[in-house]
Amino acid sequence: MSERYVRIYVVQPPETGAEWAVRVDSDKPLRFRHEKDALSYALRQARARSGEGVSVELRVEDDHGHWRSMAL
């Protein structure tokens, strides 16, 4: 059985007033008005997949455009 691997990205809004985006692998991003809602959705997705035995990498964009890993 091959190991399954999923990447989840939380993307900051490109400009003030724009929405946050959460992309799970190559799926179409979902949009959120508030950071807390985006992070909550991303964590729920990551934990659900991890509970199914999937290796999950959760990455969050910081204020400088760099990516940081987030612990589940």
Side-chain angles (χ1 to χ4, degrees), residues 11-62:
V11 183
Q12 287 205 16
E15 58 192 35
T16 303
E19 296 178 318
W20 288 77
V22 177
R23 184 170 55 85
V24 178
D25 266 347
S26 60
D27 292 350
K28 182 178 179 181
L30 292 176
R31 305 286 177 182
F32 298 87
R33 186 171 185 166
H34 302 287
E35 177 183 15
K36 68 179 182 174
D37 296 331
L39 290 172
S40 177
Y41 175 78
L43 279 170
R44 282 194 315 272
Q45 293 298 310
R47 289 178 177 152
R49 285 168 170 74
S50 182
E52 296 170 354
V54 177
S55 294
V56 178
E57 180 182 6
L58 177 55
R59 310 277 294 177
V60 180
E61 186 179 20
D62 69 16

